[in-house]
C-alpha cells in the first residue's frame, strides 16, 4: 500500500469515493462545494489536504484534513474531517494505515495534535479509533450560519 498526497489526476476517482462517503453520511454536498473542496485540496496556499491510500495501483481510501492554529499549543493542529475506504477494500488495514500516516506526517512536520470526531454509533470506526486513543468527554455543538 502506498499513501500519498492527492494529485490532479485523482479527481475522478476521489469524486467516486466522496460520493460513497456522502451517501454513508446521508449528506448532500452541492457539486459546487465538492468542486471547491477539490480545488482547495490542490492549492498549496490552503491548509486543506487529502492523503490517498493506493492499493494494487488503485486509490482505495482517503483522509481529508484541515490544519489550523490553536491557543493551547504552538504548532499546527490537524483536524481529520473525512475518512473513507472503498467498501470493496475494507478490513485490509487501509483506514489504520491512513491514521498512522497522519501521525507520522504530523511528527515529521511539527504538528501539535491530530483529532477527529466520530459518530457515537459507528461501532466499526470506533473500534479502530479506540485502538489509538480513548475518546474524550467533549460533545459537539454545531450552529449553521448560512
Ligand atoms: C470505518 C472505515 C474507515 C474502516 O476502514 P477499513 O480500511 O476497513 O478499516 P481497517 O481495515 O483499517 O480496520 C481497522 C480496525 O477497525 C475495526 N473495524 C473496521 N471495520 C470493521 C467491521 N466491519 N467490523 C468490525 N470491526 C471493524 C477493526 O477493529 C479493525 O481492526 P482488525 O481488522 O484488526 O480487526 C470504513 O469502514 C469506512 O469507510 N466506513 C464508512 C465511512 C466511515 O465510517 N468513516 C468514519 C466516519 S467517523
Amino acid at each position: 500500500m502506498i499513501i500519498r498526497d492527492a494529485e490532479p489526476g485523482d479527481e475522478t476517482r476521489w469524486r467516486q469515493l466522496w460520493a460513497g462517503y456522502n451517501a454513508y453520511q446521508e449528506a448532500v454536498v452541492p457539486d459546487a462545494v465538492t468542486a471547491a473542496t477539490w480545488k482547495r485540496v490542490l492549492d498549496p496556499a490552503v491548509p486543506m489536504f487529502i492523503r490517498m491510500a493506493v492499493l494494487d495501483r488503485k486509490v482505495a481510501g482517503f483522509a481529508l484534513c484541515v490544519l489550523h492554529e490553536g491557543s493551547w499549543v504552538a504548532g499546527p493542529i490537524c483536524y481529520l474531517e473525512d475518512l473513507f475506504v472503498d467498501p470493496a477494500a475494507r478490513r485490509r488495514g487501509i483506514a489504520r494505515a491512513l491514521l498512522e500516516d497522519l501521525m507520522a506526517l504530523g511528527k515529521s512536520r511539527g504538528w501539535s495534535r491530530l483529532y477527529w470526531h466520530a459518530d457515537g454509533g459507528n461501532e466499526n470506526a470506533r473500534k479502530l479509533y479506540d485502538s489509538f486513543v480513548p475518546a474524550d468527554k467533549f460533545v459537539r455543538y454545531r450552529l449553521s450560519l448560512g
Side-chain angles (χ1 to χ4, degrees), residues 7-30:
E7 297 167 355
D10 293 324
E11 181 172 1
T12 302
R13 177 62 179 147
W14 176 72
R15 279 175 174 266
Q16 286 172 357
L17 296 172
W18 181 243
Y21 177 69
N22 286 319
Y24 164 77
Q25 296 285 8
E26 298 179 0
V28 179
V29 179

Side-chain angles (χ1 to χ4, degrees), residues 46-49 65-69 76-79 109 111 113:
V46 177
M48 179 186 274
F49 65 93
C65 301
V66 181
L67 285 179
H68 64 83
E69 298 296 325
I77 295 172
C78 181
Y79 172 47
R109 293 184 183 176
W111 304 345
R113 190 185 303 143

Side-chain angles (χ1 to χ4, degrees), residues 21 24-25 83-85 89-97 117-119 122 124-125 127-129:
Y21 177 69
Y24 164 77
Q25 296 285 8
L83 174 69
F84 185 76
V85 172
R90 288 187 186 162
R91 294 310 293 274
R92 294 171 71 180
I94 293 177
R96 186 181 296 285
H117 298 108
D119 175 341
N122 188 340
N124 297 338
K127 221 183 280 178
L128 169 67
Y129 302 158

Side-chain angles (χ1 to χ4, degrees), residues 67-142:
L67 285 179
H68 64 83
E69 298 296 325
S71 57
W72 288 14
V73 287
I77 295 172
C78 181
Y79 172 47
L80 167 59
E81 186 159 20
D82 309 301
L83 174 69
F84 185 76
V85 172
D86 182 344
R90 288 187 186 162
R91 294 310 293 274
R92 294 171 71 180
I94 293 177
R96 186 181 296 285
L98 282 164
L99 287 170
E100 286 170 350
D101 167 73
L102 289 173
M103 287 170 61
L105 212 56
K107 282 178 186 164
S108 72
R109 293 184 183 176
W111 304 345
S112 299
R113 190 185 303 143
L114 168 66
Y115 74 105
W116 60 90
H117 298 108
D119 175 341
N122 188 340
E123 288 180 12
N124 297 338
R126 292 204 57 194
K127 221 183 280 178
L128 169 67
Y129 302 158
D130 287 345
S131 72
F132 283 86
V133 66
D136 65 22
K137 63 176 182 174
F138 286 87
V139 294
R140 185 171 71 155
Y141 290 81
R142 201 159 170 252

